Amino acid sequence: MTGLATAFRTLAVAAAAGLLAVTGAVAAPAPPASAAPEPKAPREFVALGSVDPTILQEMRYTTDHNFVGEPVDGYRQPLCILTRPAAEALHRAQLRLLARGYTLKVYDCYRPQRAVDHFVRWAKDLQDERMKKEFYPLVDKSRLFADGYIAEKSGHSRGSTVDLTIVRLPAAPTRAYVPGEELVDCSAPREERFPDNSVDMGTGFDCFDTLSHTDDPRIRGEQRANRDLLGGALAEQGFVNLPEEWWHFTFKPEPFPSTFFDFPVARRSVAGH
């Protein structure tokens, strides 16, 4: 009897195999592996607004108004994220400035590595010069790496670097950029270049020009006083300026001096911190 049972089972398997061959049916594929979750920020990172909601935020890389001309990879929401020590230091600087009738305004804070990679791809595409007239009118795009305007790593990705300016209170609104509008040289006189509610720093933000060097001797009078006001308020709280960019400051000592993060700029990245 056992031999007959075995034979019947063998015939059943063979018949099933034959039916598959005739009908062309195939076994159901295994379910796909779930996508890896987006990385989140370490707990040392916070949204600046949770530390100081009075600091203005104009996050340029979530918009079309930047040197690339489109929203940059990794910027999901217009949100400033920083390490907590950097955010708290900005808060202290803000208190000093508020007492003098000014407020800080940030343009960029933590920057994911995928955004830096986007900049690198853009810089290598020498045909894409849609924003040249405003952001780098005097620089040949082929020189952006050699001249130090674009690099494959950025201190912003470590979380303690911020691009910012100051605005006199009460803060006037800044009009929205309209894609395709006529562009004006970022180093032109303030009344000619794209309107910004910040005080006059001599150039616009992200201006690829030597006039953006913090101590450029051509910057005098009110423009020099404004740069000194910004630099002095931040230096008192431990920030160090990048000499080539009046708007660029890094808090020292950095909590993550050698780590370049890639979590997206989004509220969920710092949820619960």
Side-chain angles (χ1 to χ4, degrees):
M1 184 64 71
T2 302
L4 284 174
T6 301
F8 280 126
R9 282 199 298 272
T10 301
L11 287 172
V13 170
L19 180 61
L20 288 174
V22 170
T23 62
V26 294
S34 59
E38 285 274 31
K40 288 193 67 176
R43 294 199 62 81
E44 292 86 347
F45 283 79
V46 294
L48 175 61
S50 69
V51 175
D52 193 323
T54 70
I55 296 175
L56 302 180
Q57 300 188 30
E58 185 181 321
M59 309 304 291
R60 288 285 187 88
Y61 298 141
T62 64
T63 75
D64 294 312
H65 192 212
N66 56 66
F67 59 84
V68 176
E70 63 187 10
V72 178
D73 290 354
Y75 286 88
R76 305 281 176 78
Q77 294 168 319
L79 179 71
C80 173
I81 294 175
L82 289 169
T83 59
R84 183 174 291 278
E88 292 176 344
L90 277 190
H91 169 63
R92 295 191 297 270
Q94 174 76 338
L95 292 178
R96 300 288 188 92
L97 288 168
L98 287 174
R100 301 181 62 173
Y102 296 93
T103 177
L104 292 169
K105 180 175 79 170
V106 295
Y107 294 113
D108 190 35
C109 302
Y110 158 75
R111 180 184 304 165
Q113 180 61 45
R114 69 190 76 180
V116 179
D117 296 342
H118 191 166
F119 291 165
V120 169
R121 292 194 305 274
W122 166 83
K124 291 179 178 179
D125 181 3
L126 301 184
Q127 304 305 310
D128 182 356
E129 294 190 323
R130 73 187 102 162
M131 304 301 285
K132 177 178 176 62
K133 189 174 180 181
E134 178 175 353
F135 292 96
Y136 54 106
L138 303 181
V139 180
D140 190 295
K141 193 174 181 184
S142 65
R143 296 283 311 168
L144 292 181
F145 289 102
D147 291 349
Y149 293 112
I150 300 294
E152 294 187 351
K153 294 289 184 181
S154 169
H156 281 274
S157 301
R158 301 193 296 262
S160 296
T161 294
V162 59
D163 293 337
L164 74 174
T165 187
I166 51 178
V167 175
R168 187 181 296 277
L169 294 171
T174 295
R175 75 164 176 84
Y177 166 77
V178 179
E181 71 175 83
E182 183 69 21
L183 301 178
V184 178
D185 185 344
C186 55
S187 65
R190 184 187 185 192
E191 61 272 14
E192 297 177 19
R193 62 181 182 259
F194 185 85
D196 190 309
N197 62 357
S198 71
V199 299
D200 188 4
M201 293 291 190
T203 76
F205 165 62
D206 259 357
C207 190
F208 296 3
D209 190 284
T210 56
L211 201 63
S212 295
H213 292 187
T214 307
D215 293 328
D216 189 288
R218 293 169 291 176
I219 299 297
R220 300 177 182 175
E222 180 184 356
Q223 296 172 345
R224 171 55 55 199
N226 290 335
R227 290 191 185 189
D228 290 346
L229 176 61
L230 175 64
L234 294 178
E236 287 178 353
Q237 306 305 327
F239 285 91
V240 177
N241 175 242
L242 178 69
E244 291 78 19
E245 299 176 349
W246 60 257
W247 56 82
H248 180 119
F249 292 83
T250 299
F251 177 75
K252 301 287 186 175
E254 294 182 66
F256 299 99
S258 304
T259 307
F260 298 86
F261 294 95
D262 192 40
F263 57 85
V265 177
R267 291 180 183 86
R268 66 167 299 280
S269 294
V270 290
H273 292 197

